[in-house]
Amino acid sequence: MPKYLLIVDYDGGDVIEPMTDWTPDEVKAHMDYYGALREELLGTGELVTQEALTGPELAKVVRADGRTAPVVTDGPFAEFKEMLAGYQLVDVDSEARAIEIAAKISAVPGPGGRPLRQPIGVRRVMTDADFDLLVG
């Protein structure tokens, strides 16, 4: 079965308010939604892994040539809303199923229980066949 990476970034979709401005109940509803979706996908055997990441203020960029000490910096970074916030790796029957799951992630509730309509990236994980096409 193909695997897909479902990418969540800091683009809040229809919601402008950062989560730090939400009420505790709104944050709890948001996180409970993710928890229920996690349980659903674990139950179907489709979830490979799911992780939330620390904020971009803690991120590092590493550049190395393999001969000298790596250079570690705090940036440059893309726009904040383009930074990776978390991801789900799913193993599903089809791209259509991956898109269905991404739609559920996009509908996570925000302030007032409104669905965020957050954009979720969907990327298929490359297989050996994909690499074979590259090298001919």
Side-chain angles (χ1 to χ4, degrees):
M1 291 195 305
K3 291 182 180 140
Y4 288 85
L5 185 66
L6 308 179
I7 304 162
V8 180
D9 58 30
Y10 284 98
D11 182 336
D14 289 351
V15 174
I16 302 168
E17 304 93 350
M19 191 180 285
T20 53
D21 292 348
W22 299 4
T23 69
D25 286 343
E26 291 168 339
V27 172
K28 183 176 181 338
H30 182 86
M31 299 312 291
D32 286 350
Y33 181 96
Y34 271 117
L37 182 56
R38 175 183 173 79
E39 291 305 312
E40 175 187 331
L41 297 175
L42 284 171
T44 62
E46 295 172 306
L47 185 64
V48 175
T49 189
Q50 167 181 316
E51 299 293 341
L53 304 174
T54 59
E57 68 279 2
L58 299 175
K60 303 289 185 224
V61 175
V62 178
R63 295 179 191 266
D65 62 14
R67 294 185 305 271
T68 60
V71 176
V72 181
T73 64
D74 292 333
F77 295 120
E79 283 189 54
F80 182 74
K81 69 181 181 178
E82 297 170 352
M83 293 293 295
L84 185 64
Y87 63 90
Q88 290 80 14
L89 182 62
V90 294
D91 192 355
V92 293
D93 290 328
S94 65
E95 181 179 79
R97 177 61 178 148
I99 289 171
E100 182 181 326
I101 295 167
K104 289 182 178 192
I105 297 166
S106 178
V108 65
R114 295 185 324 256
L116 292 183
R117 291 181 10 102
Q118 184 175 23
I120 305 300
V122 177
R123 306 266 312 268
R124 185 175 56 80
V125 175
M126 291 181 75
T127 66
D128 289 342
D130 294 310
F131 289 110
D132 290 345
L133 289 174
L134 291 174
V135 295

